[in-house]
Amino acid sequence: LRCIISKNVGPYEQGIAQGCMMGISSLANVLSPLIYSPLSAVFLSDNAPFDFPGFSILCVGLAWLIGFVLSTMIKIIPHFSRDRTMSSEPCLLA
């Protein structure tokens, strides 16, 4: 996913794109233990809502699956450099 995003932004937007990706990754690294640790504790305790000790692992797997499906829906559009022109008309400003 990082490679696809990196290839679809221009050379002057690389820092912005990589900063956004690292920010999202850091946020996920902070939030995931806050969500999945209590969830694991609840389902491993004696007073679980239903008997399924691996429920938190199932939730992690479903989150990965949702992320995978969303990443396959990203359209890959080739990036054209700003140095090249897309039109066949000659430049009249020279």
Side-chain angles (χ1 to χ4, degrees):
L1 186 60
R2 290 180 184 179
C3 181
I4 292 170
I5 292 172
S6 180
K7 286 183 179 182
N8 284 324
V9 297
Y12 300 107
E13 291 92 13
Q14 289 291 325
I16 294 170
Q18 291 176 7
C20 271
M21 289 184 290
M22 288 304 296
I24 292 169
S25 177
S26 297
L27 183 66
N29 286 336
V30 169
L31 290 180
S32 63
L34 295 175
I35 294 170
Y36 292 114
S37 294
L39 186 65
S40 296
V42 166
F43 280 95
L44 292 176
S45 69
D46 293 334
N47 56 356
F50 51 91
D51 187 32
F52 190 4
F55 184 72
S56 61
I57 297 172
L58 176 70
C59 290
V60 171
L62 289 175
W64 275 89
L65 181 66
I66 290 169
F68 174 73
V69 169
L70 290 175
S71 70
T72 59
M73 293 180 180
I74 295 174
K75 293 181 182 179
I76 301 174
I77 302 170
H79 175 73
F80 292 99
S81 173
R82 292 181 188 207
D83 299 334
R84 297 185 223 160
T85 58
M86 294 293 294
S87 67
S88 60
E89 298 175 3
C91 181
L92 301 175
L93 298 176

